[in-house]
Structures are given as C-alpha cells and as structure tokens.
Amino acid sequence: MSPVNVWIEELDVNQHIDAARGLDLTTEEGAARFEQVKEAVCTELRKSRHYRTDEQLQQLRSNPRTNERGEGLVLARLIRDLKEAGSVEQFDREMKYVYLWGNDRRVWLGG
C-alpha cells in the first residue's frame, strides 16, 4: 500500500525564510532584504486556495457549513501581521501562527 499525501495544498514559504538566515538588520541592505523576505512569504500565502481579496471577503456571507469567509479572514489577518512585523523576533512569532494555520488546513509550507 502506498502512502497517501496528507497535504491538500503546497506553498513553499520556507524557501524565502531559509534565504534570509543571518541577515544583519542594522544595515540598510539587511533591512531591505528583510522587507523582501516578508513580502515574498506573504505573496506565497496569497496563492492559497483559502486567500480572498478584501473585495471578495466583503461579498461573502457567513455560512456555517463552509466557513469560507472565516477562512479568508484568518489568512488575511496572518498576512497583515507578517507584513507589519518590525523585527525578526516578531516575524518568527507570527510565522508560528502561520505554521499552525498550515497544519490545521493541511497546507504544506516547505521543509
């Protein structure tokens, strides 16, 4: 019997995080690279089937059977919090929530 793929979706955010290891945020170049990493991770998360634009979220009504609006709101908040992270520590803290989100929704985030 072959193993079953438990992941419904694949988004490789780790590739961007691994590329940013050891950044020196005290330099202009390091700070600019940190902003690029944050944007790259957020862009990857926007590829999710759970992602909805602000306009789409406004049009969706709450539906207890599908909870599509709730799923979209959770991901939108995670993306917003990542974009607003002002330090590596804050970014790491927010990424823990992203990984929990991914595990709960069977979204592979890289590895």
Side-chain angles (χ1 to χ4, degrees):
M1 191 167 170
S2 62
V4 176
N5 185 359
V6 299
W7 303 112
I8 294 174
E9 184 174 23
E10 296 182 7
L11 305 170
D12 195 356
V13 298
N14 279 351
Q15 67 179 334
H16 305 295
I17 294 169
D18 290 342
R21 300 260 185 248
L23 281 179
D24 181 2
L25 297 182
T26 61
T27 66
E28 252 183 66
E29 184 180 317
R33 181 71 182 114
F34 178 60
E35 292 300 319
Q36 290 172 345
V37 168
K38 289 191 316 185
E39 186 55 39
V41 169
C42 292
T43 298
E44 193 71 26
L45 290 172
R46 285 186 196 100
K47 295 176 185 176
S48 172
R49 62 188 180 87
H50 296 286
Y51 179 73
R52 301 292 178 270
T53 63
D54 289 340
E55 294 81 27
Q56 290 170 324
L57 286 172
Q58 289 176 356
Q59 293 173 357
L60 287 174
R61 292 181 179 236
S62 293
N63 181 341
R65 285 182 282 192
T66 63
N67 198 22
E68 186 178 3
R69 186 171 193 280
E71 289 293 330
L73 288 170
V74 168
L75 184 55
R77 181 169 185 133
L78 288 170
I79 291 170
R80 187 197 71 214
D81 291 348
L82 283 173
K83 285 182 76 168
E84 292 176 356
S87 67
V88 173
E89 294 79 18
Q90 187 179 5
F91 182 79
D92 285 344
R93 194 170 38 251
E94 297 304 330
M95 280 305 299
K96 288 177 185 165
Y97 294 113
V98 171
Y99 289 121
L100 290 171
W101 170 85
N103 284 338
D104 287 348
R105 285 145 190 94
R106 295 173 41 189
V107 177
W108 182 82
L109 297 173

